[in-house]
Amino acid sequence: MSDRHAAAPGRIRIIGGTLRNSRLNVPDLPGLRPTAERVRETLFNWLAPVIAGARCLDLCAGTGALGIEALSRGAASVQFVERDAHAVQALRANLERLKTTGGQVAAAEAGLFLQGVPQPQDLVFLDPPFTLGLWTTLAQQLEQGGWLSAQAWIYVESSRASAPALPLNWRLHREGHAGEVHFALYQR
């Protein structure tokens, strides 16, 4: 399925907030799959009432498009977690070039990062590489490790072909599909 707002190879666009229309450089890495513009637009329309001042965690950040979009729309902070060194370098360069504040990048595997000292988050973006099948494991670590505030929102992006098993106390708020991608917003 074609996205009418598809960016040129190697670049994607921030679609709202103070950084609207800013471009992010995207490294050419196997399996790197930035969230489509129309999916981000839908997600942030859903999040509009809660994004201002939110503490966010962008696990398996990749390009960081979700977290940077959150910062652009008024999130207080975003902790980006990415294991690929080239993606980390590109993410740090994009944050510096855009002169953003409130974003920190951790070069780490998401599961190992979640074994550290928890910092409760208001919003978590859970979008691991589809081929690794990490949704259930990371969701359990988030829930049991103290990473979620009492009323946290959790965005989950997965393959349309497989539904991840998530904690029973995560209530589905909204969901949609775009091509082979299923995206859903849950509230704890």
Side-chain angles (χ1 to χ4, degrees), residues 17-18 44 47 50-57 66-80 100-103 121-123 125:
T18 59
F44 283 94
L47 291 171
V50 298
I51 194 69
R55 293 164 299 162
C56 306
L57 177 61
L66 291 169
I68 293 171
E69 193 80 49
L71 288 171
S72 178
R73 292 168 183 256
S77 63
V78 177
Q79 174 68 64
F80 297 90
T100 59
T101 58
Q121 304 293 315
D122 302 312
L123 172 60
F125 301 107

Side-chain angles (χ1 to χ4, degrees), residues 94-107:
N94 280 325
L95 289 169
E96 185 177 326
R97 183 177 49 80
L98 295 173
K99 297 178 179 25
T100 59
T101 58
Q104 294 184 327
V105 181

Side-chain angles (χ1 to χ4, degrees), residues 126 133-140 156 158 162-168 170 186:
L126 182 55
L134 296 173
W135 296 276
T136 301
T137 301
L138 294 176
Q140 289 299 328
V156 179
S158 61
S162 62
L166 301 172
L168 296 176
W170 291 12
Y186 296 85

Side-chain angles (χ1 to χ4, degrees), residues 95-175:
L95 289 169
E96 185 177 326
R97 183 177 49 80
L98 295 173
K99 297 178 179 25
T100 59
T101 58
Q104 294 184 327
V105 181
E109 192 275 327
L112 291 176
F113 178 85
L114 293 176
Q115 291 175 16
V117 177
Q119 300 167 0
Q121 304 293 315
D122 302 312
L123 172 60
V124 175
F125 301 107
L126 182 55
D127 180 16
F130 287 4
T131 57
L132 298 181
L134 296 173
W135 296 276
T136 301
T137 301
L138 294 176
Q140 289 299 328
Q141 284 185 273
L142 286 165
E143 183 61 39
Q144 295 170 0
W147 286 95
L148 301 173
S149 65
Q151 301 292 314
W153 294 89
I154 306 99
Y155 170 74
V156 179
E157 190 170 313
S158 61
S159 168
R160 193 172 183 170
S162 62
L166 301 172
L168 296 176
N169 63 324
W170 291 12
R171 180 183 53 85
L172 179 64
H173 178 67
R174 293 210 174 150
E175 65 182 329

